[in-house]
Amino acid sequence: DFYRPLGLNRLEAGLDASGKPVGIKHQLTSKSITQVLFGLPKKTLDPFMVEAQVAPYSIPNTTHDLIIHDYGFRPGYLRAVSHTMNCFANESFMDELAAAAGADPVAYRLSLLQGKENERFVAVLKLAAEKAGWGRKLPKGRGLGVALMEGYGTYMAQVAEISMSGGDVKVHKVTVACDCGHMVNPGIVEQQLESGIIYGLSHALYSENTVEKGRIVQSNFNDFRVLRQNESPVIDITLVKSSEKPGGTGEPSTSLIGAAVGNAIFAASGKRVRSMPLVKGLKSA
């Protein structure tokens, strides 16, 4: 396959006296896969670059910029396309805002999810937090991190529980609350969510391509690390019964796990990792 896209997100926000954002700016640059593979005209907005760039939170003033940048390698679609990059940026940044406001990350998000249009977000966030035991006292070096997103008509929250020893990260458990609308086969839905999380954890923690003298160094799974069976976390999934139209479940769970684990790393260590793979980014944090 082709290489997954490189992406760079830059976010800025201003907070009022209560710690809530009065304005947010999100700049995104990457290469357009759609332009390369399907001939999207230049200077055209690529919808597959801006998925999940607009977060669900109620913020009075927002601006979103997209810059298409050709970095020389032919990209292909990563699972969940641009949701994965943009959710990592948004949900990591939301945790940073909560920290700046001195607020609990879950409570901070809930305070910004006002109105009937956000009811499904609120429901999955509260459910995931409850099931994960959010707020309980954890041993030193252990932390919980949360992430929230809508993708392909599916509303989802994830809470990751991790521990740290030196520069190593162990993901013990991922708690998922998912509202994907009406389900035909809940068992298949669970399988899709589990596989998406395992796949996403590989990329979030370890997998990367490096370039030397214009060539990719990695050649196979001996030097392109993926999650092993003995490293896989317990995955606890709660599916919300719903009569809403069915949403997709093959991809969204991949997108939240990087932000959830990154936020858990901050909770456990006080170190903020702003790039994936997280284990590599942790060394420079």
Side-chain angles (χ1 to χ4, degrees):
D1 202 352
F2 300 115
Y3 304 105
R4 59 179 174 163
L6 292 165
L8 178 67
N9 295 265
R10 180 180 177 182
L11 295 101
E12 300 176 67
L15 306 182
D16 64 17
S18 68
K20 289 188 178 181
V22 294
I24 192 167
K25 181 179 182 179
H26 188 165
Q27 295 172 302
L28 162 67
T29 183
S30 184
K31 188 168 183 174
S32 171
I33 306 171
T34 314
Q35 242 177 39
V36 174
L37 297 184
F38 301 109
L40 181 75
K42 290 188 177 182
K43 297 185 179 180
T44 302
L45 176 70
D46 184 345
F48 295 108
M49 293 175 67
V50 296
E51 295 165 317
Q53 189 187 12
V54 179
Y57 306 104
S58 301
I59 300 171
N61 305 287
T62 62
T63 179
H64 297 81
D65 296 330
L66 169 67
I67 302 168
I68 295 176
H69 175 66
D70 186 354
Y71 48 75
F73 281 84
R74 183 169 185 174
Y77 292 115
L78 178 65
R79 188 170 181 172
V81 200
S82 59
H83 284 92
T84 300
M85 294 185 291
N86 296 336
C87 179
F88 176 71
N90 269 324
E91 287 299 285
S92 298
F93 191 60
M94 191 54 58
D95 244 53
E96 294 204 35
L97 297 185
D104 173 82
V106 170
Y108 190 77
R109 285 169 169 81
L110 288 172
S111 73
L112 297 173
L113 291 167
Q114 305 297 323
K116 188 174 178 61
E117 69 275 11
N118 287 321
E119 286 180 350
R120 296 174 79 183
F121 282 116
V122 169
V124 292
L125 180 55
K126 285 183 175 180
L127 187 57
E130 178 191 348
K131 294 290 185 180
W134 186 270
R136 60 191 160 93
K137 188 172 178 58
L138 295 170
K140 186 178 180 180
R142 207 167 177 112
L144 294 175
V146 65
L148 180 70
M149 192 193 81
E150 179 276 324
Y152 308 106
T154 290
Y155 294 73
M156 190 182 303
Q158 291 182 15
V159 176
E161 181 172 346
I162 66 103
S163 65
M164 297 183 62
S165 177
D168 294 327
V169 179
K170 170 68 175 176
V171 182
H172 295 275
K173 186 176 181 180
V174 180
T175 304
V176 184
C178 174
D179 176 359
C180 60
H182 179 70
M183 294 172 284
V184 175
N185 188 329
I188 295 294
V189 171
E190 289 191 8
Q191 291 172 15
Q192 288 292 314
L193 301 186
E194 288 169 351
S195 70
I197 288 169
I198 296 299
Y199 181 85
L201 267 177
S202 294
H203 286 275
L205 289 172
Y206 309 121
S207 301
E208 67 171 340
N209 292 120
T210 53
V211 182
E212 287 184 9
K213 298 180 180 179
R215 306 184 92 177
I216 297 293
V217 173
Q218 290 74 22
S219 61
N220 212 317
F221 291 112
N222 63 307
D223 52 11
F224 185 79
R225 186 176 174 188
V226 296
L227 203 72
R228 308 300 185 195
Q229 189 169 5
N230 67 315
E231 298 171 320
S232 299
V234 173
I235 301 176
D236 180 15
I237 296 172
T238 301
L239 300 176
V240 176
K241 292 183 179 180
S242 173
S243 59
E244 297 284 348
K245 68 178 182 180
T249 58
E251 299 187 89
S253 64
T254 296
S255 302
L256 288 86
I257 191 62
V261 172
N263 292 336
I265 289 172
F266 178 76
S269 68
K271 293 183 177 180
R272 178 64 64 186
V273 186
R274 292 174 171 162
S275 62
M276 295 189 285
L278 295 167
V279 170
K280 182 179 179 179
L282 188 57
K283 295 176 181 177
S284 58

